[in-house]
């Protein structure tokens, strides 16, 4: 039993963070109370602001508190003619960190999953179709996850692009750089053979 | 570059939690935004309440939002005559979980550290002395950490207790249960020999 219901409630609510169990939650609560109350107050404010004010970009559906996000507003990216389709905003973050892609994005916020009632409309494909019609994209890169649902979603979107005569590609699956062949699963190895590239 | 300054600020502030680095902070922020906004709002409220309303018990200095804490208010614990002195509120939590102690506590909120300007007054020893005079304790158990500062603090408090004719004890140091002898450091092993108990 905690000596304070408010402390108990704080520990309970800290557990909504991913990877935080009862022990870490307790450690976090005591740390903030004992050593960093102003940090705790600032975190509370940042949480409230983020949860209440962050919405989705009207162009790409990425997280933003503005009408359109920084990436969509960037003229250099508008001129690239590339559109990368991802499942989640966190995927954009991962791709941006590689520094290899200078086009724009479209976030599905999920993948097709008919059994859960998630159809084309739920993942914003009507908005995507509109953008494909109104903007002149030279290529659409499908970067959904390499799962059954991600692949199915990619295939569905590829159809839409091909119907509109837009070049479409899927990111490569294969052996991770630094990985060892004998440790890689069979499906990945198959993909790696099918996607082999001629050298020289 | 994040697409949203509020998201960036949330990730930054999540790092005030112990054990949360840049990657975990990002994962937490995306998780809350994508899947659990109401959880994030509740956490913000719990944080604000805890940081602003939780103070210290006027008897034992443990965290509480009341004038005195649940443990100090418990008549059964008042009758036990035992007082356990700890450095931090989290220590109480650890001791309570053993279920072995049914007395009351006194929290120093630190330890003596003259070089950092932390003297007897800063760790509330004036309040402790008052309590020792006004309440009839049969034994004071010193459960400060087994560090140089913790030991020095324990010795200092032991003097006070002995001057007032109160029985005083220190928790045992030794090999942790389940530990292996060859893995234990020399100081602990020495404590373990000095603190040996006769059997039978």
């Amino acid at each position: 039993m905690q000596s304070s219901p408010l402390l108990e409630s704080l520990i309970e609510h800290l557990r909504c963070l991913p990877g935080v169990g009862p022990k870490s939650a307790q450690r976090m609560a005591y740390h903030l109370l004992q050593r960093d109350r102003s940090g705790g107050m600032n975190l509370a404010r940042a949480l409230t602001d983020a949860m209440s004010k962050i919405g989705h970009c009207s162009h790409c559906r990425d997280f933003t508190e503005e009408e359109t996000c920084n990436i969509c507003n960037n003229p250099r990216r508008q001129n690239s003619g590339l559109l990368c389709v991802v499942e989640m905003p966190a995927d954009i973050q991962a791709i941006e960190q590689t520094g290899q892609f200078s086009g724009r994005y479209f976030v599905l916020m999920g993948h097709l999953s008919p059994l859960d009632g998630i159809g084309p409309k739920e993942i914003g494909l009507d908005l995507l179709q509109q953008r494909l019609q109104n903007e002149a994209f030279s290529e659409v890169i499908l970067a959904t996850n390499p799962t059954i649902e991600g692949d199915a979603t990619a295939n569905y979107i590829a159809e839409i692009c091909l119907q509109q005569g837009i070049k479409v590609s899927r990111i490569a699956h294969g052996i991770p750089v630094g990985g060892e062949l004998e440790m890689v699963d069979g499906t990945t190895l198959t993909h790696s053979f099918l996607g082999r590239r001629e050298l020289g």
Side-chain angles (χ1 to χ4, degrees), chain A:
Chain A
M1 192 195 58
Q2 298 285 347
S3 53
S4 150
L6 286 182
L7 176 55
E8 219 162 320
S9 150
L10 174 57
I11 292 174
E12 186 55 38
H13 283 107
L14 278 167
R15 295 195 52 195
C16 78
L17 298 172
V20 176
K23 269 275 171 192
S24 323
Q26 192 182 306
R27 185 163 150 249
M28 287 172 172
Y30 277 116
H31 172 87
L32 292 178
L33 281 171
Q34 282 165 188
R35 297 194 184 85
D36 195 7
R37 291 207 185 208
S38 68
M41 285 304 270
N42 290 338
L43 173 57
R45 265 190 295 273
L47 271 169
T48 310
D49 281 356
M51 296 301 127
S52 60
K53 292 184 192 154
I54 293 181
H56 295 280
C57 171
S58 62
H59 279 77
C60 72
R61 314 216 309 169
D62 189 12
F63 288 133
T64 180
E65 59 266 33
E66 312 291 340
E67 170 67 16
T68 51
C69 73
N70 289 343
I71 294 178
C72 286
N73 286 337
N74 186 334
R76 233 181 323 158
R77 286 175 177 264
Q78 284 165 9
N79 292 333
S80 83
L82 295 175
L83 183 75
C84 179
V85 179
V86 297
E87 291 187 21
M88 283 297 183
D91 302 331
I92 293 188
Q93 191 54 26
I95 295 171
E96 285 296 292
Q97 272 164 7
T98 67
Q100 289 300 305
F101 182 72
S102 58
R104 281 169 294 165
Y105 293 94
F106 188 83
V107 186
L108 302 171
M109 295 302 296
H111 45 237
L112 286 177
S113 183
L115 290 179
D116 304 316
I118 300 175
K121 219 181 146 123
E122 281 69 31
I123 58 172
L125 293 193
D126 43 350
L127 178 60
L128 177 62
Q129 211 150 3
Q130 242 174 53
R131 284 190 72 186
L132 293 179
Q133 273 158 6
N134 300 338
E135 303 171 51
F137 289 112
S138 60
E139 182 177 350
V140 172
I141 300 169
L142 302 173
T144 52
N145 289 329
T147 56
I148 295 174
E149 294 91 350
D151 282 338
T153 309
N155 289 338
Y156 191 95
I157 299 173
E159 279 298 318
I160 297 176
C161 296
L162 292 173
Q163 274 168 17
Q164 304 201 7
I166 301 170
K167 184 176 161 190
V168 60
S169 61
R170 181 96 171 95
I171 51 167
H173 300 336
I175 301 171
V177 178
E180 285 179 54
L181 220 71
E182 62 170 353
M183 298 306 188
V184 169
D185 65 291
T187 321
T188 302
L189 205 53
T190 307
H191 272 294
S192 173
F193 268 86
L194 293 175
R196 68 188 180 278
R197 295 199 310 184
E198 207 176 315
L199 297 175

